């Protein structure tokens, strides 16, 4: 939605980012995985543990009333604790989610663009993500310059070159 404010994510946004990570993990209609199970799972916990630590960056979109409605952030995960979208040391991996009622109004694209710009300004050459192939988010990522670099079982790793 044009004009909605986007601000840098703060240490105090950890709980909201967790909500958005749950949205990302349960994007499929009817997904039933409980929130606490997602947040405590080995594979998701690593995207937020200790937020905001050095090297992390993120942005939060807000409603006109100042409520957080979406977030995109990245983190650099080590080789021995990789994320789903890990492609190499020094390549940040992003997560994005928008509250259901605010979707399809351009918030996700605006967050993605802001995060990619930030990563470029920080000197990163690439940024990566992982997405299930059936998720319509794939078309958003493609249109923002991400390309599939690794195909997995039902899920792809995509990378955007920043320079
Ligand atoms: C994916 C997500 C972050 C996109 O945010 P959003 O604010 O809804 O997206 P935007 O409104 O900026 O739309 C961007 C593009 O996504 C696609 N898109 C958005 N909503 C769509 C829908 N309901 N059906 C199909 N495509 C859709 C379109 O390509 C759209 O581009 P267009 O408007 O130029 O046609 C958001 O929908 C979301 O939180 N989904 C659940 C969590 C998730 O799947 N996260 C990503 C995991 S990898």
């Amino acid at each position: 939605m044009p004009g909605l404010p986007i601000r840098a994510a703060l240490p105090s946004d950890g709980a909201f980012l967790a909500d958005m990570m749950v949205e990302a993990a349960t994007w499929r209609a009817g997904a039933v995985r409980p929130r606490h199970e997602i947040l405590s799972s080995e594979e998701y916990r690593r995207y937020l543990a200790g937020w905001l630590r050095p090297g992390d960056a993120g942005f939060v979109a807000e409603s006109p009333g100042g409520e957080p409605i979406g977030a995109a952030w990245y983190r650099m995960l080590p080789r021995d604790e990789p994320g789903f979208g890990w492609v190499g040391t020094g390549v940040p991996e992003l997560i994005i989610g928008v509250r259901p009622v605010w979707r399809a109004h351009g918030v996700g694209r605006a967050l993605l663009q802001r995060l990619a710009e930030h990563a470029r300004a920080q000197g990163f050459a690439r940024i990566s993500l992982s997405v299930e192939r059936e998720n319509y988010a794939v078309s958003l990522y493609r249109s923002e310059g991400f390309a599939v670099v690794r195909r997995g079982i039902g899920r792809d790793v995509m990378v955007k070159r920043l320079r």
Side-chain angles (χ1 to χ4, degrees), residues 30-156:
V32 288
R33 197 167 174 195
R35 175 191 166 87
H36 68 87
E37 191 189 298
I38 294 166
L39 295 180
S40 61
S41 70
E42 187 71 15
E43 70 268 32
Y44 282 105
R45 213 167 45 86
R46 59 189 56 164
Y47 287 105
L48 271 179
W51 177 264
L52 175 78
R53 66 189 190 199
D56 292 344
F59 293 90
V60 173
E62 291 183 339
S63 70
E67 293 297 312
I69 58 171
W73 71 97
Y74 66 65
R75 162 166 277 188
M76 214 106 57
L77 291 166
R79 180 186 291 272
D80 59 355
E81 265 203 346
F84 295 108
W86 195 89
V87 293
T89 308
V91 182
E93 178 179 341
L94 76 85
I95 302 273
I96 185 168
V98 173
R99 283 215 189 281
V101 295
W102 288 95
R103 287 181 194 160
H105 289 95
V107 174
R109 189 184 294 283
L111 283 167
L112 200 55
Q113 290 176 348
R114 191 69 178 270
L115 191 67
E117 275 163 29
H118 182 82
R120 182 183 291 116
Q122 293 296 305
F124 293 111
R126 294 180 293 165
I127 187 167
S128 74
L129 59 81
S130 167
V131 61
E132 290 183 57
R133 211 163 288 136
E134 291 171 9
N135 191 337
Y136 64 69
V138 169
S139 56
L140 165 62
Y141 300 145
R142 278 195 195 285
S143 67
E144 286 299 323
F146 287 80
V148 174
V149 295
R150 195 168 73 227
R151 290 177 77 76
I153 300 169
R155 136 189 310 281
D156 291 333

